[in-house]
């Protein structure tokens, strides 16, 4: 348990990270572009998706293991595109329209997943959590830290869950390769859920031990950087323009 990482232990304090874009601006950009992706046209969506792919590749350049997450997102989107296209064609929709509808759904879904991936990999969960708490404090007041803790845990568990799935898959390839396909299909989720339940329990105890279950742990002073906020406003304006294309 002592070796389990938490949003607090995994990252330094927000003020000690290397100088990058203000985390509050990053959270605001992620939320804004999530809305833009849902309401933009095909051309604007294609431009945004291309930009997000470039950002995601840049973020994962120094983390080879994160590239596998990028590929898994693409495979997940491809699966749902195939399902939607097949259902539409089964319902009598013309193949061209079905393919177009599936493609647009895939672009939106992939863009949203890339936004989450870039946000999760661009800074530590603790930093993102404190930024969200700062933004929500005027609205939620004393309960803002609860949302911040939930977001930090979500960001923390995204790569952790992928690591668990990867380890379970490798273990089954070594020790359960002789089992029938049906048995392996049933064994994989059982083993993964059991491993994740242990991780969840360890995280719960570690959070309480490090004092992250209280409001004071999610309060920090962010330095004001007008250039970062100006850049964020410019990017949001660009997103609004792309949403009209």
């Amino acid at each position: 348990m002592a070796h389990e990482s938490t949003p607090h232990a995994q990252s330094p304090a927000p003020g000690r990270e290397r100088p990058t874009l203000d985390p509050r601006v990053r959270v605001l950009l992620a939320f804004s572009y999530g809305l833009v992706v849902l309401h933009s046209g095909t051309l604007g969506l294609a431009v945004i998706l291309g930009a997000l792919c470039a950002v995601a590749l840049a973020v994962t350049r120094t983390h080879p293991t994160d590239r596998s997450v990028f590929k898994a997102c693409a495979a997940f989107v491809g699966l749902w595109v195939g399902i939607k296209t097949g259902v539409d064609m089964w319902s009598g929709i013309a193949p061209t329209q079905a393919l177009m509808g599936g493609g647009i759904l895939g672009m939106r879904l992939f863009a949203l997943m890339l936004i989450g991936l870039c946000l999760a990999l661009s800074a530590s969960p603790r930093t993102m959590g404190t930024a969200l708490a700062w933004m929500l404090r005027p609205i939620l007041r004393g309960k803002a830290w609860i949302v911040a803790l939930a977001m930090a845990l979500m960001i923390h568990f995204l790569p952790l869950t992928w690591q668990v799935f990867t380890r379970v898959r490798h273990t089954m390839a070594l020790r359960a390769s002789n089992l029938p396909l049906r048995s392996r299909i049933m064994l994989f989720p059982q083993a993964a859920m059991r491993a994740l339940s242990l991780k969840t329990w360890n995280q719960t105890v570690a959070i309480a031990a490090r004092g992250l279950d209280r409001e004071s742990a999610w309060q920090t002073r962010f330095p004001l950087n007008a250039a970062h906020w100006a850049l964020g406003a410019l990017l949001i304006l660009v997103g609004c323009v792309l949403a009209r294309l």
Side-chain angles (χ1 to χ4, degrees):
M1 184 183 304
H3 298 286
E4 282 293 328
S5 59
T6 63
H8 180 274
Q10 191 181 35
S11 60
R16 295 182 180 179
E17 291 190 346
R18 64 181 184 274
T20 54
L21 187 64
D22 191 311
R24 297 169 296 179
V25 178
R26 274 178 276 182
V27 173
L28 183 61
L29 284 174
F31 177 77
S32 300
Y33 271 85
L35 295 177
V36 169
V37 165
L38 293 176
H39 295 89
S40 59
T42 305
L43 179 58
L45 182 60
V47 174
I48 294 173
L49 183 59
L52 287 173
C53 287
V55 173
L57 290 174
V59 170
T60 59
R61 180 177 301 174
T62 56
H63 301 80
T65 56
D66 295 331
R67 289 290 179 92
S68 60
V69 180
F70 185 84
K71 296 176 182 178
C73 291
F76 177 80
V77 171
L79 174 64
W80 279 103
V81 168
I83 292 175
K84 184 183 187 309
T85 303
V87 171
D88 288 346
M89 294 178 64
W90 181 267
S91 302
I93 299 177
T96 303
Q97 295 181 352
L99 289 172
M100 184 176 298
I104 293 176
L105 172 66
M107 292 172 65
R108 295 191 194 280
L109 183 58
F110 194 40
L112 291 174
M113 296 182 73
L114 287 180
I115 291 174
L117 178 64
C118 293
L119 185 64
L121 299 179
S122 64
S124 66
R126 174 78 186 281
T127 301
M128 291 293 101
T130 52
L132 183 63
W134 182 91
M135 298 177 67
L136 294 179
R137 194 165 290 117
I139 302 174
L140 300 180
R141 299 185 182 276
K143 295 183 178 180
W145 71 272
I146 300 177
V147 181
L149 175 59
M151 178 182 178
L153 287 174
M154 180 186 68
I155 295 176
H156 176 69
F157 265 93
L158 286 175
L160 186 63
T161 302
W162 179 252
Q163 291 174 7
V164 169
F165 285 169
T166 302
R167 291 173 183 174
V168 171
R169 186 171 63 251
H170 289 170
T171 302
M172 290 183 59
L174 293 174
R175 300 186 177 183
S177 58
N178 295 328
L179 290 178
L181 178 61
R182 181 178 179 182
S183 299
R184 282 183 288 170
I185 292 176
M186 297 179 63
L187 179 61
F188 180 83
Q190 294 176 4
M193 290 301 104
R194 183 171 183 178
L196 286 175
S197 65
L198 294 176
K199 294 285 186 182
T200 303
W201 169 252
N202 291 340
Q203 290 296 309
T204 302
V205 176
I207 287 172
R210 292 182 171 92
L212 296 180
D213 56 344
R214 61 194 66 175
E215 183 179 3
S216 59
W218 301 96
Q219 293 179 345
T220 187
R221 291 182 178 273
F222 290 98
L224 178 61
N225 193 318
H228 289 188
W229 286 98
L231 177 60
L234 178 61
L235 291 175
I236 292 175
L237 179 61
V238 171
C240 293
V241 173
L242 292 175
R244 294 180 174 272
L245 296 180

